[in-house]
């Protein structure tokens, strides 16, 4: 029987009691759009690891494939295809493990509510499988709130007879399978980028690992989870960023950025935390085509998508994380 595409059912969320913060509408002039990585950013663990280690090839073979990828003998998409092919379990059967193994950022629910209340689109950009990510979000934040999140990721097919899995790559003609920078560029090119009052939206990206850099470089403001590899890379390479421990930090900063951005739109200068490279597209007339820039993609980024423990382990020493750094040279 031919493989079938997965459309996961909605699941009622079990929500812990959290400290509530104000999520009321800011009333800002400029529209804000958020893009975020999933594994290691919204969730502290990796969904792919849970799949492969519990239902597929296991951690030993995954480590062997990680070595092949690091040595450059196989591409990310090639090793990922082998990992997904090792799964032979019904789609619904994997989520009992996910529910107990995954931990959501403690302040993500409140931040997402803040985004909804302020009409801030929140988008996930991930190298994972969209139906898996959707099912996880449905459980942890509820299907009603999950529906507000657009997920840009690869699709999945599961054979109804053999239960074999297959990734349906978003960018099948690339070695990455999903080029995050291209996804963000496509969004900026095709979406309606003007708000009601004619201002160009502020693009925010949130991540944790160096695999997020291609998309991060297309954003105006970058948030990097404190103590992980994305922050370390930003420090070492003079890339401007804002560190965060939880999404509560991001919410506070977004409120401040919105206020400063309102001042900027009134001719009071450019905030230091903006990424001037990404801001180039903001200066183009909204009635003209948005230019597509070549994404800066370090060689290690491809390797970081599916084995983040090798590239997103905690940094031993903090390197000036609380100071906004100068932008990289053009």
């Amino acid at each position: 029987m031919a493989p079938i595409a997965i459309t996961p059912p909605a699941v009622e969320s079990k929500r812990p009691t959290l400290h509530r913060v104000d999520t009321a509408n800011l009333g800002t002039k400029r529209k804000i759009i958020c893009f975020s990585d999933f594994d290691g950013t919204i969730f502290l663990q990796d969904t792919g690891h849970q799949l492969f280690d519990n239902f597929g090839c296991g951690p030993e073979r995954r480590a062997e494939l990680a070595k092949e990828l690091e040595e450059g003998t196989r591409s990310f998409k090639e090793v990922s295809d082998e990992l997904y092919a090792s799964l032979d379990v019904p789609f619904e059967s994997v989520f009992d493990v996910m529910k107990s193994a995954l931990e959501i950022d403690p302040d993500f629910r409140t931040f997402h509510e803040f985004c909804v209340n302020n009409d801030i689109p929140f988008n996930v950009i991930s190298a994972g499988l969209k139906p898996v990510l959707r099912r996880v979000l449905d459980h942890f934040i509820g299907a009603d709130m999950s529906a507000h999140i657009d997920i840009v990721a690869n699709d999945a097919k599961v054979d109804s007879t053999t239960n074999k899995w297959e990734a349906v790559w978003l960018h099948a003609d690339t070695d990455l399978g999903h080029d995050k920078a291209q996804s963000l560029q496509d969004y900026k090119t095709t979406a309606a980028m003007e708000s009601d009052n004619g201002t160009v939206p502020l693009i925010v990206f949130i991540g944790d690992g160096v695999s997020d850099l291609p998309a991060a470089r297309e954003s105006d403001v970058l948030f990097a989870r404190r103590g992980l590899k994305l922050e370390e890379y930003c420090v070492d390479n003079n890339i401007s960023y804002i560190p965060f421990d939880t999404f509560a930090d991001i919410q506070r900063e977004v409120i401040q950025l919105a206020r400063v951005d309102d001042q900027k739109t009134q001719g009071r200068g450019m905030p230091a935390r903006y990424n001037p490279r990404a801001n180039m597209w903001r200066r183009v007339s909204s009635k003209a085509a948005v230019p597509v820039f070549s994404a800066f993609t370090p060689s290690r980024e491809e390797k970081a998508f599916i084995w983040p423990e090798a590239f997103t382990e905690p940094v031993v020493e903090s390197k000036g994380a609380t100071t906004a750094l100068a932008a990289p040279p053009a």
Side-chain angles (χ1 to χ4, degrees), residues 191-208:
M193 297 306 293
E194 277 191 304
S195 62
D196 292 339
N197 67 352
T199 58
V200 179
L202 180 74
I203 302 296
V204 171
F205 189 85
I206 306 162
D208 69 297

Side-chain angles (χ1 to χ4, degrees), residues 115-140:
C115 288
V116 172
N117 290 345
N118 283 276
D119 193 26
I120 298 174
F122 186 92
N123 309 271
V124 166
I125 293 186
S126 173
L129 301 181
K130 181 176 180 177
V132 174
L133 307 188
R134 178 65 71 193
R135 181 70 162 73
V136 168
L137 283 173
D138 284 351
H139 171 73
F140 278 88

